[in-house]
């Protein structure tokens, strides 16, 4: 199974990378852009023999312990079969 994990800065956190991309898009003529947030997308392959409820708990644990900085980031994941 595949797990797709999205990690983004929390809305109240300054996102300098997003600001730089937003400014660059405006400079290139994309004036309709209001805001940009830059995050991470991680794909993890896991064995098929784990129960879906247990898998959700394990992926949350992965994100909380290593993949996301919970002080400044939020995460969301989707299990793909």
């Amino acid at each position: 199974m595949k797990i797709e994990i999205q990690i983004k800065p929390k809305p109240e956190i300054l996102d300098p990378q997003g600001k730089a991309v937003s400014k660059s898009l405006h400079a290139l003529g994309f004036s309709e852009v209001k805001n940009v947030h830059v995050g991470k997308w991680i794909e993890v392959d896991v064995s098929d023999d784990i129960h879906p409820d247990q898998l959700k708990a394990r992926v949350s644990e992965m994100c909380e312990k290593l993949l996301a900085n919970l002080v400044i980031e939020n995460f969301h994941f989707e299990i793909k079969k």
Side-chain angles (χ1 to χ4, degrees), residues 51-71:
H51 188 274
D53 290 337
Q54 184 183 14
L55 181 56
K56 288 177 186 177
R58 297 292 286 165
V59 174
S60 287
E61 190 176 356
M62 289 178 204
C63 291
E64 292 166 2
K65 288 187 173 183
L66 177 68
L67 302 176
N69 178 345
L70 299 181
V71 174

Side-chain angles (χ1 to χ4, degrees), residues 19-36:
K19 293 281 185 214
V21 171
S22 181
K23 279 185 171 182
S24 296
L25 288 171
H26 286 167
L28 291 170
F30 297 102
S31 58
E32 66 274 15
V33 173
K34 291 174 67 176
N35 207 351
V36 176

